[in-house]
């Protein structure tokens, strides 16, 4: 594993790691080697898994659910 075990990070460190990995995601996808992308995927999954473990009752926006997406989609067809 690359990096510190996410369970050993405090909340502030975990958020900093998540912000960094999300910021570098696009470049890794576009320009990273297969090994770099694989490592990035694994680390992201570890960090996100730890965040979800710590925050099982996190705020979920209604617009980010399937139902909310369907409701948004109804008004975006461009039909008059």
């Amino acid at each position: 594993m690359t990096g510190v075990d996410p369970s050993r990070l405090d909340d502030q460190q975990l958020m900093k790691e998540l912000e960094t990995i999300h910021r570098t995601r696009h470049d890794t996808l576009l320009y990273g080697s297969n090994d770099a992308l694989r490592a990035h995927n694994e680390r992201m999954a570890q960090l996100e898994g730890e965040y979800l473990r710590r925050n099982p009752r996190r705020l979920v926006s209604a617009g980010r659910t399937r139902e909310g997406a369907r409701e948004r989609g109804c008004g975006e067809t461009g039909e008059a």
Side-chain angles (χ1 to χ4, degrees):
M1 174 171 72
T2 303
V4 176
D5 182 337
S7 67
R8 299 186 65 185
L9 299 171
D10 65 30
D11 288 345
Q12 185 177 2
Q13 292 168 323
L14 179 61
M15 289 307 295
K16 184 175 169 66
E17 289 284 320
L18 282 165
E19 289 168 2
T20 298
I21 203 159
H22 285 120
R23 188 174 51 252
T24 61
R25 179 64 181 170
H26 191 72
D27 283 344
T28 304
L29 175 64
L30 294 179
Y31 309 114
S33 67
N34 288 342
D35 286 341
L37 186 57
R38 189 174 304 109
H40 203 273
N41 288 341
E42 290 173 9
R43 182 64 173 168
M44 184 178 283
Q46 293 166 351
L47 293 168
E48 289 178 346
E50 181 61 20
Y51 177 83
L52 293 172
R53 185 189 70 76
R54 292 183 193 187
N55 299 282
R57 297 178 186 201
R58 72 194 192 289
L59 180 63
V60 176
S61 172
R64 300 297 299 176
T65 64
R66 287 184 184 192
E67 184 177 335
R70 283 189 211 107
E71 288 175 10
R72 270 195 327 269
C74 290
E76 296 177 2
T77 61
E79 295 177 12

